[in-house]
Amino acid sequence: MAETGLTVAVITCVWAVIGIVLPVILQFFLRSSPNKGIIQLSLILTAICCYLFWLLTFIAQLNPLYGPELESGIIRMIQLEWNSN
């Protein structure tokens, strides 16, 4: 479970840098650009959307809502094979 927390922390930091730090840094490079606000907003929205997409996918894979559906004959065959070893 420690790997899960580490993974979430690393990915959160990456998207935080893209969504928070990068727009602030670009503010100094785009001082006279009329599209400065649009570029900053695009970076922030991209970071939020990509992070939420990744997080929801990651959480869905941690605890799936349903597993594989097997017929009873296949389940019996698997039990016989696994118990024979």
Side-chain angles (χ1 to χ4, degrees):
M1 204 63 176
E3 302 89 19
T4 302
L6 180 63
T7 303
V8 172
V10 168
I11 299 298
T12 300
C13 289
V14 167
W15 287 112
V17 166
I18 292 172
I20 298 170
V21 177
L22 200 57
V24 173
I25 292 173
L26 283 177
Q27 182 177 5
F28 298 111
F29 292 113
L30 303 173
R31 285 185 188 251
S32 61
S33 175
N35 297 326
K36 177 178 69 171
I38 294 172
I39 294 171
Q40 288 175 329
L41 185 63
S42 296
L43 281 171
I44 293 168
L45 288 176
T46 299
I48 290 170
C49 290
C50 289
Y51 176 71
L52 284 176
F53 181 77
W54 174 84
L55 187 65
L56 291 174
T57 304
F58 186 77
I59 289 172
Q61 291 177 3
L62 281 179
N63 189 13
L65 293 176
Y66 55 89
E69 296 178 9
L70 301 175
E71 296 176 9
S72 59
I74 294 174
I75 293 173
R76 279 191 227 108
M77 184 177 68
I78 291 172
Q79 286 176 338
L80 288 173
E81 283 294 319
W82 285 358
N83 290 334
S84 66
N85 293 333

